[in-house]
Amino acid sequence: MNTSTFFRKTVLTLVMSVAFLFAYAQKTVTGLVVDQSGEPLIGVSIQVKGSSTGTITDFDGNFTLPNVSPSDVLVFSYVGYKSQSMSVGNRSSFNVTLEEDTETLDEVVVVGYGQMKKTDLTGSVSSVGTEAITSRGTSGVVEALQGAVAGVNITQSTGRVGGGFDVEIRGKSSTNSDTKPIYVVDGIICDDIDFLNPSDISRIDVLKDASSTAIYGSRATAGVIMVTTKSGSNSGRKEAKPTISYDFYYGFSNPVRMDNFMTGDEFYNYRFVKFLTYAGGLANAINGSPSYQMGTYEQMALWNDDMQASRLKQIKNGDDPLGMHSYNWPSLVTRNGMQQNHYVSVNGSSEHVAYHFGVGYNQEKGIYVGDEQRRINIKGSIDANINKYVQAGLNLNLSYMGNDYGNDDAIKYAYRMNPFMQPYDANGELNEKPGNYAAMGSSSSYQFSDEPNPLLRLMNQTKQKDTWRALGNVYLQITPIQGLQIKSLFAPSYNSYRLGQFDGTIIDNEESIAKKTTSTNFSYTWDNTITYDNTFADKHHINLMALYSMTGSHTEKGVLQYTNVMDGTLWYNLGTGNYDAENSTPASYTENSMISAALRANYTYDSRYMITATIRGDGNHIATIVR
């Protein structure tokens, strides 16, 4: 037997021995999982730590888990109970007792028009605390929720700063395109929460199913996102000296997953092969050496008539006599972005009054040239215990948001430019049309493209939006007897924005266009609730809530567009131009009012069996005037 044969047999024997030992080490384990009273727990998750192997307990609390090694660790977890880890070792049977997680069971979540213990909920509600929100280092509240709540799919609708997010709770709930959830900020229904600073948020509760969202009626078919901002009462202390805190973060962003655009070499070879035609000759093709040719017309198209191959090669290699070289056009309209957030807050309380004040500044520069967003937030909250029966409070959120938008067409056409097109001429001036024969050094009518320079498009258009929002509420709460709570909350809201856009005359001497859109909205909500919460005979717990609500809003909007406005004056001097009646809507007015009534009843027996019943009715009136 030679040495190589002996070596192969030895290795094969060792491999088979290891495989045998591994198979021998695998075993099946069984067990029973109960609570502290000895009752079997149904649906407990048993997972092999660090792997995807696992199972759950059956109706009797029993489980069977095959293919387990003595070195494995089993993790037992169940909602409302503390997780427990156990090493397998030599055991093949487990008797596990899980302890209740009292902190989780006693956690109070925000539901529609009130709060409830998680143990008393029949609906699906997920909560995210302030630490989870601020630790993400995001400029927006919705962005901070990405991946933080099960069943909530959040995708960015665009890569632009301030482009917003698409939010779906448990998938699409309607055949219509609009399946956005409603947002409730401190009891006020809002269109979005982009105006809030993440550092202002105390907690977010997401209502996912029909049981939890029914109290808001048909508007909540796509779910509800409840936002509670910070207030003095959140501190949970009766007396506390003023505490000043400062939060800051700075982050970077850069374009990722970009298309792999052709370099000068690749584009040169691509164009050359594109204009070749088969020259014929069966024998050469059979021998694996077919012949190709390029006709006069193809050469004219390839080299732009009098731009010969040597000239394109010089451009490609960077040794062109005119200094022309290949360009990566997308890099001229993209950049590394940045974001920063500063937040200063003051908290404190006396025996009867608690307060919270905060000021925040957020800035984000996007990955596209010209994209930027600035936001200023001012937050104030005061809660007072007037006496042992009466509480009152005031909550106010103010924000300003300024957006600068880049030019969409500039980005689109920069991605379409081939690498031989020159953004600048020999004197360093911008080429008006980088793809035409003059910019390419040709006297021919053949050219790559007649599109304007994307960098000129960036200079030619200015688009800005300024948004002001004020959101507040004042409440009075009376507790005449234990368990009975009467509350009245009045919440006004003001939202105003101005969107301006100016297209100048830099490109093709087109006439300038100036457009200004303004919108002002005022709305109010007046909610009156009576809540009774009590437990009888230690096992019967009821929670009853009655609501009477009035809401109203009116919106004024106008769109003005003028042509031939003087360059440089943007939308501030419309009177110098010509009024464009076709694309203008000088004024529109919309008024909306609604009266609502609702009842909700929760009954829990022995903290095990729960039932919830909800009924709501709405009366709505809408009037619109357009001139």
Side-chain angles (χ1 to χ4, degrees):
M1 180 183 299
N2 57 39
T3 304
S4 60
T5 303
F6 174 77
F7 179 76
R8 286 197 300 269
K9 288 186 176 182
T10 302
V11 172
L12 179 61
T13 302
L14 289 174
V15 171
M16 293 181 64
S17 299
V18 172
F20 175 75
L21 290 173
F22 180 77
Y24 180 77
Q26 300 289 310
K27 62 181 179 180
T28 298
V29 297
T30 60
L32 172 68
V33 183
V34 298
D35 61 14
Q36 291 173 293
S37 62
E39 292 290 328
L41 293 175
I42 305 169
V44 176
S45 172
I46 301 98
Q47 195 84 14
V48 176
K49 191 174 183 178
S51 76
S52 58
T53 303
T55 186
I56 60 173
T57 57
D58 59 19
F59 286 97
D60 298 318
N62 297 312
F63 71 91
T64 300
L65 184 61
N67 301 324
V68 179
S69 301
S71 59
D72 287 337
V73 176
L74 302 184
V75 180
F76 299 82
S77 57
Y78 194 57
V79 176
Y81 289 79
K82 295 180 180 179
S83 297
Q84 192 173 141
S85 299
M86 302 181 72
S87 299
V88 175
N90 296 324
R91 290 184 293 180
S92 59
S93 179
F94 293 82
N95 291 314
V96 182
T97 301
L98 294 183
E99 297 180 5
E100 288 186 352
D101 189 347
T102 55
E103 292 184 2
T104 301
L105 293 175
D106 292 337
E107 182 182 354
V108 176
V109 298
V110 178
V111 294
Y113 307 102
Q115 297 179 337
M116 294 180 65
K117 284 186 177 182
K118 264 195 171 182
T119 50
D120 296 334
L121 288 175
T122 59
S124 178
V125 180
S126 295
S127 302
V128 181
T130 181
E131 291 185 3
I133 296 171
T134 55
S135 64
R136 302 290 294 273
T138 60
S139 58
V141 179
V142 176
E143 186 179 0
L145 290 177
Q146 280 187 304
V149 183
V152 178
N153 183 34
I154 300 176
T155 56
Q156 195 166 4
S157 55
T158 173
R160 312 297 291 269
V161 172
F165 292 82
D166 295 324
V167 181
E168 289 184 0
I169 299 177
R170 291 190 171 180
K172 291 188 179 295
S173 57
S174 171
T175 56
N176 297 326
S177 59
D178 187 9
T179 58
K180 296 192 305 182
I182 62 172
Y183 300 93
V184 182
V185 180
D186 294 330
I188 308 171
I189 296 179
C190 303
D191 294 333
D192 60 72
I193 51 177
D194 297 334
F195 64 95
L196 294 174
N197 190 309
S199 298
D200 273 331
I201 307 301
S202 173
R203 65 178 294 138
I204 295 178
D205 297 278
V206 182
L207 315 185
K208 303 178 184 178
D209 62 355
S211 175
S212 57
T213 62
I215 195 66
Y216 285 104
S218 60
R219 293 179 295 177
T221 54
V224 182
I225 296 180
M226 311 280 297
V227 180
T228 304
T229 60
K230 291 179 180 179
S231 65
S233 61
N234 293 141
S235 62
R237 296 175 292 182
K238 288 188 176 181
E239 292 188 30
K241 293 182 179 180
T243 301
I244 301 175
S245 63
Y246 170 67
D247 297 324
F248 163 75
Y249 74 79
Y250 191 96
F252 298 92
S253 60
N254 58 283
V256 296
R257 299 175 184 172
M258 294 283 288
D259 292 329
N260 189 19
F261 294 98
M262 290 184 182
T263 63
D265 286 340
E266 292 170 338
F267 188 69
Y268 176 86
N269 295 331
Y270 163 75
R271 285 184 60 81
F272 187 85
V273 173
K274 178 181 178 181
F275 291 104
L276 288 176
T277 58
Y278 182 56
L282 181 59
N284 290 337
I286 295 175
N287 293 332
S289 56
S291 299
Y292 294 91
Q293 65 183 7
M294 188 179 295
T296 302
Y297 175 79
E298 286 78 11
Q299 291 185 43
M300 292 172 62
L302 173 60
W303 311 125
N304 286 331
D305 196 9
D306 59 355
M307 278 192 69
Q308 300 304 312
S310 59
R311 180 68 192 288
L312 284 184
K313 286 182 179 179
Q314 289 174 329
I315 297 174
K316 176 174 69 70
N317 297 328
D319 54 7
D320 179 71
L322 297 180
M324 298 170 67
H325 58 85
S326 62
Y327 272 88
N328 178 13
W329 276 90
S331 68
L332 299 179
V333 295
T334 58
R335 64 184 178 183
N336 291 329
M338 60 78 76
Q339 56 180 263
Q340 59 177 323
N341 190 71
H342 305 264
Y343 188 78
V344 180
S345 62
V346 180
N347 301 275
S349 62
S350 63
E351 184 177 357
H352 299 291
V353 178
Y355 58 86
H356 171 89
F357 298 101
V359 177
Y361 174 76
N362 180 275
Q363 180 189 23
E364 182 174 3
K365 291 184 178 180
I367 61 173
Y368 294 114
V369 174
D371 273 6
E372 184 175 349
Q373 177 177 279
R374 302 162 301 280
R375 186 178 63 231
I376 299 173
N377 292 89
I378 299 176
K379 163 72 178 174
S381 175
I382 299 176
D383 296 276
N385 294 321
I386 298 175
N387 54 47
K388 67 177 183 179
Y389 301 109
V390 182
Q391 288 180 299
L394 172 67
N395 197 0
L396 182 64
N397 287 282
L398 304 175
S399 75
Y400 161 77
M401 190 156 57
N403 289 87
D404 294 332
Y405 301 99
N407 188 298
D408 291 337
D409 286 337
I411 297 168
K412 177 175 67 176
Y413 287 109
Y415 278 51
R416 294 178 179 179
M417 291 288 178
N418 80 57
F420 289 141
M421 297 183 185
Q422 306 294 298
Y424 304 96
D425 61 21
N427 298 320
E429 301 292 332
L430 284 172
N431 280 322
E432 184 176 347
K433 295 184 177 180
N436 68 10
Y437 59 87
M440 295 301 296
S442 169
S443 60
S444 168
S445 58
Y446 290 90
Q447 53 194 12
F448 284 114
S449 170
D450 199 43
E451 286 296 333
N453 193 326
L455 300 182
L456 284 177
R457 289 184 181 274
L458 283 175
M459 298 169 57
N460 191 55
Q461 185 184 84
T462 302
K463 187 176 181 181
Q464 297 176 347
K465 184 178 182 180
D466 294 303
T467 305
W468 298 266
R469 296 195 72 158
L471 195 70
N473 66 63
V474 57
Y475 73 89
L476 180 68
Q477 181 175 296
I478 302 173
T479 309
I481 60 175
Q482 183 178 356
L484 180 63
Q485 185 182 93
I486 303 171
K487 184 176 182 179
S488 181
L489 180 146
F490 181 75
S493 173
Y494 174 81
N495 181 13
S496 175
Y497 75 82
R498 187 228 56 214
L499 174 64
Q501 179 173 331
F502 182 84
D503 294 285
T505 60
I506 298 176
I507 298 177
D508 291 335
N509 293 319
E510 296 176 350
E511 63 179 11
S512 62
I513 300 175
K515 183 178 181 180
K516 182 170 74 172
T517 303
T518 57
S519 176
T520 302
N521 170 268
F522 174 79
S523 63
Y524 69 88
T525 301
W526 185 22
D527 291 334
N528 300 279
T529 58
I530 299 176
T531 304
Y532 182 70
D533 187 282
N534 211 341
T535 301
F536 303 93
D538 295 330
K539 290 190 176 182
H540 303 275
H541 177 256
I542 61 171
N543 181 285
L544 307 174
M545 191 279 297
L547 164 75
Y548 179 77
S549 176
M550 299 174 61
T551 62
S553 71
H554 62 80
T555 303
E556 298 180 22
K557 187 174 182 179
V559 180
L560 295 175
Q561 181 163 308
Y562 283 75
T563 60
N564 288 323
V565 178
M566 184 183 301
D567 277 341
T569 61
L570 301 180
W571 44 87
Y572 299 109
N573 197 17
L574 297 179
T576 62
N578 302 320
Y579 178 62
D580 185 354
E582 184 178 351
N583 295 296
S584 298
T585 306
S588 66
Y589 177 83
T590 302
E591 187 176 279
N592 186 3
S593 60
M594 185 169 67
I595 296 177
S596 306
L599 295 171
R600 180 177 62 208
N602 287 77
Y603 171 73
T604 304
Y605 174 73
D606 198 21
S607 299
R608 291 177 177 270
Y609 307 101
M610 292 157 281
I611 185 172
T612 298
T614 305
I615 185 173
R616 178 181 175 117
D618 297 304
N620 197 20
H621 168 73
I622 300 177
T624 302
I625 301 174
V626 179
R627 181 175 69 85

